[in-house]
Short mmCIF file of all heavy atoms in Angstrom, two decimals:
data_model
loop_
_atom_site.label_atom_id
_atom_site.label_comp_id
_atom_site.label_asym_id
_atom_site.label_seq_id
_atom_site.Cartn_x
_atom_site.Cartn_y
_atom_site.Cartn_z
N LEU A 87 17.33 13.22 20.28
CA LEU A 87 16.39 12.22 20.81
C LEU A 87 16.99 11.35 21.91
O LEU A 87 16.51 11.35 23.04
CB LEU A 87 15.90 11.31 19.66
CG LEU A 87 14.90 10.22 20.03
CD1 LEU A 87 13.60 10.82 20.59
CD2 LEU A 87 14.60 9.32 18.83
N LEU A 88 18.04 10.62 21.60
CA LEU A 88 18.49 9.56 22.51
C LEU A 88 19.00 10.09 23.84
O LEU A 88 19.02 9.37 24.85
CB LEU A 88 19.56 8.69 21.82
CG LEU A 88 19.10 7.99 20.54
CD1 LEU A 88 20.23 7.15 19.95
CD2 LEU A 88 17.87 7.12 20.79
N SER A 89 19.41 11.34 23.87
CA SER A 89 19.87 11.93 25.15
C SER A 89 18.69 12.40 26.00
O SER A 89 18.86 12.82 27.14
CB SER A 89 20.79 13.13 24.87
OG SER A 89 20.06 14.10 24.08
N LYS A 90 17.47 12.32 25.42
CA LYS A 90 16.31 12.89 26.12
C LYS A 90 15.28 11.84 26.55
O LYS A 90 14.35 12.15 27.31
CB LYS A 90 15.61 13.90 25.20
CG LYS A 90 16.50 15.06 24.74
CD LYS A 90 15.74 15.93 23.74
CE LYS A 90 16.57 17.05 23.15
NZ LYS A 90 15.82 17.78 22.08
N VAL A 91 15.40 10.63 25.99
CA VAL A 91 14.42 9.59 26.34
C VAL A 91 15.15 8.34 26.81
O VAL A 91 16.35 8.17 26.55
CB VAL A 91 13.52 9.26 25.12
CG1 VAL A 91 12.69 10.48 24.72
CG2 VAL A 91 14.33 8.74 23.95
N ALA A 92 14.41 7.47 27.51
CA ALA A 92 15.05 6.34 28.22
C ALA A 92 15.22 5.12 27.31
O ALA A 92 14.52 4.11 27.45
CB ALA A 92 14.23 5.98 29.45
N VAL A 93 16.15 5.22 26.36
CA VAL A 93 16.46 4.07 25.50
C VAL A 93 17.67 3.35 26.10
O VAL A 93 18.72 3.96 26.27
CB VAL A 93 16.80 4.52 24.06
CG1 VAL A 93 17.14 3.31 23.19
CG2 VAL A 93 15.64 5.29 23.44
N PRO A 94 17.50 2.08 26.44
CA PRO A 94 18.65 1.33 26.97
C PRO A 94 19.79 1.29 25.95
O PRO A 94 19.54 1.16 24.74
CB PRO A 94 18.09 -0.08 27.19
CG PRO A 94 16.60 0.09 27.24
CD PRO A 94 16.27 1.25 26.34
N GLU A 95 21.01 1.41 26.42
CA GLU A 95 22.19 1.37 25.52
C GLU A 95 22.14 0.13 24.62
O GLU A 95 22.49 0.17 23.46
CB GLU A 95 23.47 1.34 26.36
CG GLU A 95 24.07 2.70 26.67
CD GLU A 95 24.34 3.57 25.43
OE1 GLU A 95 24.98 3.06 24.47
OE2 GLU A 95 23.84 4.71 25.39
N ALA A 96 21.66 -0.98 25.20
CA ALA A 96 21.64 -2.25 24.46
C ALA A 96 20.69 -2.20 23.27
O ALA A 96 20.77 -3.06 22.38
CB ALA A 96 21.23 -3.38 25.39
N ASN A 97 19.84 -1.19 23.23
CA ASN A 97 18.86 -1.08 22.14
C ASN A 97 19.37 -0.19 21.01
O ASN A 97 18.61 0.10 20.07
CB ASN A 97 17.55 -0.47 22.66
CG ASN A 97 16.81 -1.39 23.58
OD1 ASN A 97 17.43 -2.21 24.26
ND2 ASN A 97 15.49 -1.26 23.66
N ILE A 98 20.59 0.29 21.16
CA ILE A 98 21.12 1.23 20.15
C ILE A 98 22.21 0.52 19.34
O ILE A 98 23.26 0.13 19.89
CB ILE A 98 21.68 2.48 20.84
CG1 ILE A 98 20.56 3.20 21.60
CG2 ILE A 98 22.30 3.42 19.80
CD1 ILE A 98 21.03 4.34 22.48
N PHE A 99 21.94 0.35 18.07
CA PHE A 99 22.87 -0.37 17.18
C PHE A 99 23.42 0.63 16.16
O PHE A 99 22.95 0.73 15.03
CB PHE A 99 22.13 -1.50 16.48
CG PHE A 99 21.57 -2.55 17.41
CD1 PHE A 99 20.34 -2.35 18.03
CD2 PHE A 99 22.28 -3.71 17.69
CE1 PHE A 99 19.81 -3.29 18.91
CE2 PHE A 99 21.77 -4.67 18.56
CZ PHE A 99 20.53 -4.46 19.18
N ARG A 100 24.44 1.40 16.61
CA ARG A 100 24.95 2.42 15.71
C ARG A 100 25.91 1.84 14.68
O ARG A 100 26.61 0.84 14.96
CB ARG A 100 25.62 3.55 16.50
CG ARG A 100 26.99 3.27 17.02
CD ARG A 100 27.61 4.50 17.67
NE ARG A 100 28.95 4.16 18.18
CZ ARG A 100 30.07 4.24 17.46
NH1 ARG A 100 30.02 4.71 16.23
NH2 ARG A 100 31.24 3.89 17.99
N VAL A 101 25.93 2.46 13.54
CA VAL A 101 26.95 2.15 12.55
C VAL A 101 28.25 2.76 13.06
O VAL A 101 28.27 3.92 13.49
CB VAL A 101 26.60 2.75 11.18
CG1 VAL A 101 27.68 2.43 10.15
CG2 VAL A 101 25.23 2.27 10.69
N GLN A 102 29.33 1.98 13.06
CA GLN A 102 30.59 2.50 13.61
C GLN A 102 31.36 3.22 12.48
O GLN A 102 32.19 2.64 11.80
CB GLN A 102 31.39 1.36 14.23
CG GLN A 102 30.66 0.78 15.45
CD GLN A 102 31.29 -0.48 16.01
OE1 GLN A 102 32.37 -0.92 15.59
NE2 GLN A 102 30.59 -1.11 16.95
N GLY A 103 30.97 4.47 12.32
CA GLY A 103 31.54 5.28 11.23
C GLY A 103 33.03 5.46 11.29
O GLY A 103 33.68 5.80 10.31
N GLU A 104 33.58 5.21 12.48
CA GLU A 104 35.02 5.39 12.66
C GLU A 104 35.83 4.22 12.11
O GLU A 104 37.05 4.30 11.95
CB GLU A 104 35.34 5.60 14.14
CG GLU A 104 35.09 4.38 15.03
CD GLU A 104 33.66 4.28 15.54
OE1 GLU A 104 32.75 4.81 14.86
OE2 GLU A 104 33.45 3.64 16.59
N ASN A 105 35.11 3.13 11.80
CA ASN A 105 35.81 1.93 11.32
C ASN A 105 36.15 2.04 9.83
O ASN A 105 35.59 2.87 9.11
CB ASN A 105 34.95 0.68 11.54
CG ASN A 105 34.89 0.27 13.00
OD1 ASN A 105 35.64 0.81 13.82
ND2 ASN A 105 33.98 -0.62 13.34
N ASP A 106 36.99 1.12 9.38
CA ASP A 106 37.24 1.00 7.94
C ASP A 106 35.90 0.76 7.24
O ASP A 106 35.18 -0.17 7.62
CB ASP A 106 38.20 -0.18 7.68
CG ASP A 106 38.17 -0.58 6.22
OD1 ASP A 106 38.66 0.21 5.39
OD2 ASP A 106 37.60 -1.65 5.91
N PRO A 107 35.56 1.56 6.23
CA PRO A 107 34.22 1.47 5.62
C PRO A 107 33.84 0.08 5.11
O PRO A 107 32.74 -0.40 5.37
CB PRO A 107 34.30 2.49 4.48
CG PRO A 107 35.27 3.51 4.97
CD PRO A 107 36.32 2.74 5.71
N ILE A 108 34.78 -0.55 4.40
CA ILE A 108 34.43 -1.87 3.83
C ILE A 108 34.15 -2.88 4.95
O ILE A 108 33.17 -3.61 4.94
CB ILE A 108 35.54 -2.36 2.89
CG1 ILE A 108 35.62 -1.46 1.65
CG2 ILE A 108 35.31 -3.83 2.49
CD1 ILE A 108 36.77 -1.77 0.70
N SER A 109 35.00 -2.86 5.97
CA SER A 109 34.80 -3.77 7.11
C SER A 109 33.51 -3.45 7.83
O SER A 109 32.78 -4.34 8.26
CB SER A 109 35.97 -3.65 8.10
OG SER A 109 37.19 -3.79 7.42
N GLU A 110 33.19 -2.15 7.97
CA GLU A 110 31.98 -1.76 8.71
C GLU A 110 30.71 -2.16 7.96
O GLU A 110 29.71 -2.57 8.57
CB GLU A 110 31.98 -0.27 9.03
CG GLU A 110 30.79 0.20 9.84
CD GLU A 110 30.60 -0.52 11.17
OE1 GLU A 110 31.55 -1.18 11.67
OE2 GLU A 110 29.47 -0.47 11.71
N ALA A 111 30.74 -2.04 6.65
CA ALA A 111 29.56 -2.45 5.86
C ALA A 111 29.29 -3.94 6.09
O ALA A 111 28.14 -4.35 6.27
CB ALA A 111 29.79 -2.16 4.38
N VAL A 112 30.37 -4.73 6.14
CA VAL A 112 30.21 -6.17 6.40
C VAL A 112 29.72 -6.40 7.82
O VAL A 112 28.75 -7.14 8.06
CB VAL A 112 31.55 -6.91 6.17
CG1 VAL A 112 31.46 -8.37 6.63
CG2 VAL A 112 31.96 -6.82 4.71
N ARG A 113 30.35 -5.69 8.78
CA ARG A 113 29.98 -5.87 10.19
C ARG A 113 28.53 -5.50 10.43
O ARG A 113 27.76 -6.25 11.05
CB ARG A 113 30.88 -5.04 11.11
CG ARG A 113 30.66 -5.29 12.60
CD ARG A 113 31.24 -4.19 13.49
NE ARG A 113 30.43 -2.99 13.39
CZ ARG A 113 29.33 -2.77 14.13
NH1 ARG A 113 28.89 -3.69 14.99
NH2 ARG A 113 28.64 -1.64 13.99
N TYR A 114 28.11 -4.33 9.91
CA TYR A 114 26.74 -3.88 10.17
C TYR A 114 25.71 -4.77 9.49
O TYR A 114 24.65 -5.07 10.05
CB TYR A 114 26.57 -2.41 9.74
CG TYR A 114 25.43 -1.73 10.47
CD1 TYR A 114 25.50 -1.51 11.85
CD2 TYR A 114 24.29 -1.32 9.80
CE1 TYR A 114 24.45 -0.89 12.53
CE2 TYR A 114 23.24 -0.70 10.46
CZ TYR A 114 23.33 -0.48 11.83
OH TYR A 114 22.29 0.13 12.50
N GLY A 115 26.08 -5.23 8.30
CA GLY A 115 25.19 -6.17 7.60
C GLY A 115 24.98 -7.43 8.43
O GLY A 115 23.86 -7.96 8.50
N ALA A 116 26.04 -7.86 9.11
CA ALA A 116 25.94 -9.06 9.97
C ALA A 116 25.14 -8.75 11.24
O ALA A 116 24.39 -9.62 11.73
CB ALA A 116 27.33 -9.54 10.33
N VAL A 117 25.27 -7.54 11.76
CA VAL A 117 24.47 -7.13 12.93
C VAL A 117 22.98 -7.20 12.60
O VAL A 117 22.17 -7.71 13.38
CB VAL A 117 24.84 -5.70 13.38
CG1 VAL A 117 23.81 -5.13 14.36
CG2 VAL A 117 26.23 -5.69 14.00
N LEU A 118 22.63 -6.73 11.41
CA LEU A 118 21.22 -6.78 10.98
C LEU A 118 20.76 -8.23 10.86
O LEU A 118 19.68 -8.60 11.34
CB LEU A 118 21.04 -6.06 9.65
CG LEU A 118 21.45 -4.59 9.58
CD1 LEU A 118 21.16 -4.04 8.19
CD2 LEU A 118 20.77 -3.75 10.65
N ALA A 119 21.60 -9.06 10.22
CA ALA A 119 21.21 -10.46 10.01
C ALA A 119 21.04 -11.18 11.34
O ALA A 119 20.15 -12.02 11.50
CB ALA A 119 22.28 -11.16 9.17
N LYS A 120 21.86 -10.82 12.30
CA LYS A 120 21.83 -11.50 13.62
C LYS A 120 20.67 -11.04 14.47
O LYS A 120 20.02 -11.85 15.16
CB LYS A 120 23.14 -11.22 14.36
CG LYS A 120 23.24 -11.78 15.78
CD LYS A 120 24.66 -11.66 16.32
CE LYS A 120 24.78 -12.19 17.74
NZ LYS A 120 24.39 -11.17 18.77
N ASN A 121 20.35 -9.76 14.44
CA ASN A 121 19.40 -9.19 15.41
C ASN A 121 17.98 -8.97 14.90
O ASN A 121 17.07 -8.80 15.71
CB ASN A 121 19.95 -7.86 15.93
CG ASN A 121 21.20 -8.06 16.76
OD1 ASN A 121 21.13 -8.51 17.90
ND2 ASN A 121 22.36 -7.77 16.17
N LEU A 122 17.80 -8.96 13.61
CA LEU A 122 16.46 -8.71 13.07
C LEU A 122 15.83 -10.01 12.60
O LEU A 122 16.55 -10.94 12.22
CB LEU A 122 16.54 -7.74 11.88
CG LEU A 122 17.00 -6.31 12.18
CD1 LEU A 122 17.12 -5.52 10.88
CD2 LEU A 122 16.05 -5.61 13.14
N PRO A 123 14.51 -10.06 12.58
CA PRO A 123 13.87 -11.21 11.93
C PRO A 123 14.33 -11.25 10.47
O PRO A 123 14.56 -10.21 9.85
CB PRO A 123 12.37 -10.87 12.00
CG PRO A 123 12.25 -9.81 13.04
CD PRO A 123 13.54 -9.07 13.07
N ASN A 124 14.53 -12.46 9.98
CA ASN A 124 14.92 -12.59 8.57
C ASN A 124 13.75 -13.15 7.78
O ASN A 124 13.24 -14.22 8.10
CB ASN A 124 16.13 -13.54 8.46
CG ASN A 124 17.44 -12.78 8.63
OD1 ASN A 124 18.18 -12.61 7.67
ND2 ASN A 124 17.70 -12.30 9.81
#
Side-chain angles (χ1 to χ4, degrees):
L87 181 62
L88 300 181
S89 58
K90 301 175 184 174
V91 296
V93 179
E95 268 305 310
N97 291 29
I98 299 172
F99 299 83
R100 77 175 179 88
V101 179
Q102 294 172 7
E104 67 274 26
N105 287 349
D106 164 69
I108 293 175
S109 309
E110 182 57 17
V112 172
R113 186 197 72 85
Y114 204 67
V117 166
L118 302 181
K120 176 170 179 276
N121 293 285
L122 294 176
N124 273 251

